[in-house]
Amino acid sequence: MKKNYLYAILTVFIWGTMATVGKILVSNIPSLEALCIGSAFAFLFLLIVNIKNGTIKELGKYRVKDYAIMAGLGFIGLFLYSGLYYYGLTQLSSQEACIVNYLWPMMLVLFSTIILKEKLTVVKAVAMISSFIGVVILSVGSGSSGNGNVMLGIGSCVVAAACYGLFSVLNKKANYDQNIAMMVMWLVVAVCSAVFGLAIEDWKPVVGVQWLGMLWMGVVVNAIAYLIWALALNADKNSARIANLAYLTPFLSLIISAVVLKEQIQGRALIAFVFIIGGILLQTFWEHGHSTK
């Protein structure tokens, strides 16, 4: 299997934990505080990696304009995306937030067609629709949202999905060294989260196992997963083929939420899984078969 597919699959498994861990954190800690601390851990981890690998020397080859672009990408694709998604988690169940959030691979395909001029083939469109139908089925069968504002929660997750889809395309187009770019972007997220969070939230002390959750979200989910996802996406000429793999994450998230948070999985999730996997397999095997001819 190609390295980019291994990266993408590993990312999917890590992201499967994001909704559950994030839901636990934002149930006890203000969302921007959680984002700030997690982002700071992500930045420090990537700083250490860059120093160890010697890639920190690459900092000198970029101009002020390049860092401004990286900062803009970090603000749109990581700060706005994460902030809106974390807010969605405060209003919805972890399953619902994750499901709605996974409109972003569809957004990625659409933005790739518009910005990168990638061809929207019939197979690509059918595969995307099939996977999206799976997300819709999951959404319909995901249950109630408790006492949260459902419309605000759904709206914030939809906008978050658009932000990350746009970010994925623009980041691929910019084509910076991802080790450096992600380090800079998570620093931007940490700073923005601190500024906005301290202004509008009452921050609380982080105690006990909450630090483990912060480390998981910061180092594994933010630093490692986002980095290898960007590497996978940038290494493949067909953004949609990689993006469709991301539709596996809501199903994994359902399982993890059911086990950890005791959120009930309905039978519709299994039907949705058929559509999700069907879309992925359709595009992957169809295009692989035609590429080998």
Side-chain angles (χ1 to χ4, degrees):
M1 183 179 290
K2 293 182 179 180
K3 185 181 291 186
N4 55 320
Y5 280 99
L6 289 174
Y7 283 158
I9 292 171
L10 179 58
T11 304
V12 166
F13 278 101
I14 294 173
W15 280 347
T17 68
M18 182 178 177
T20 299
V21 178
K23 179 68 175 180
I24 294 172
L25 288 176
V26 300
S27 295
N28 300 286
I29 302 169
S31 57
L32 289 177
E33 179 184 1
L35 179 58
C36 178
I37 297 173
S39 301
F41 280 139
F43 164 71
L44 291 174
F45 176 80
L46 290 172
L47 176 62
I48 293 170
V49 169
N50 281 315
I51 292 174
K52 183 177 179 180
N53 293 341
T55 50
I56 197 71
K57 298 176 182 178
E58 298 293 314
L59 284 171
K61 80 175 188 179
Y62 293 118
R63 300 167 297 172
V64 173
K65 178 182 177 181
D66 294 313
Y67 287 111
I69 293 173
M70 291 182 199
L73 288 171
F75 182 82
I76 294 172
L78 298 182
F79 173 67
L80 289 182
Y81 164 72
S82 300
L84 289 166
Y85 180 56
Y86 277 28
Y87 177 77
L89 282 169
T90 66
Q91 304 300 312
L92 306 170
S93 70
S94 65
Q95 294 180 18
E96 289 168 328
C98 181
I99 289 162
V100 177
N101 178 58
Y102 270 80
L103 289 170
W104 76 257
M106 184 185 70
M107 301 287 189
L108 187 154
V109 174
L110 293 176
F111 285 127
S112 294
T113 303
I114 297 170
I115 298 173
L116 301 180
K117 309 302 181 183
E118 293 185 2
K119 185 178 180 181
L120 185 62
T121 64
V122 173
V123 172
K124 190 183 295 184
V126 171
M128 183 174 64
I129 292 171
S130 175
S131 295
F132 179 65
I133 288 173
V135 173
V136 172
I137 293 173
L138 282 172
S139 182
V140 172
S142 60
S144 63
S145 301
N147 297 321
N149 189 316
V150 177
M151 293 306 297
L152 279 178
I154 291 176
S156 65
C157 287
V158 169
V159 177
C163 287
Y164 193 70
L166 178 61
F167 161 77
S168 296
V169 173
L170 294 178
N171 188 41
K172 181 176 181 178
K173 186 176 181 180
N175 197 31
Y176 292 123
D177 182 300
Q178 289 304 302
N179 291 282
I180 295 296
M182 284 294 171
M183 182 185 72
V184 172
M185 290 177 198
W186 282 117
L187 175 60
V188 169
V189 177
V191 173
C192 289
S193 300
V195 172
F196 287 97
L198 290 171
I200 64 177
E201 294 178 340
D202 293 323
W203 284 19
K204 302 176 181 179
V206 179
V207 296
V209 295
Q210 292 174 348
W211 284 111
L212 293 178
M214 293 291 188
L215 281 169
W216 178 263
M217 292 295 285
V219 174
V220 181
V221 175
N222 291 349
I224 296 176
Y226 279 89
L227 175 60
I228 61 178
W229 175 258
L231 292 172
L233 196 64
N234 289 1
D236 200 295
K237 295 180 180 179
N238 192 327
S239 299
R241 184 165 49 195
I242 292 294
N244 267 349
L245 288 172
Y247 279 107
L248 285 169
T249 303
F251 186 78
L252 292 175
S253 183
L254 285 176
I255 297 174
I256 295 170
S257 296
V259 173
V260 178
L261 301 178
K262 309 303 180 184
E263 293 181 358
Q264 183 180 1
I265 297 179
Q266 298 189 8
R268 294 181 182 181
L270 298 178
I271 301 174
F273 184 66
V274 174
F275 281 93
I276 293 170
I277 295 297
I280 295 168
L281 295 180
L282 172 64
Q283 178 166 308
T284 301
F285 285 102
W286 177 278
E287 294 192 354
H288 177 73
H290 280 67
S291 65
T292 56
K293 290 182 179 180

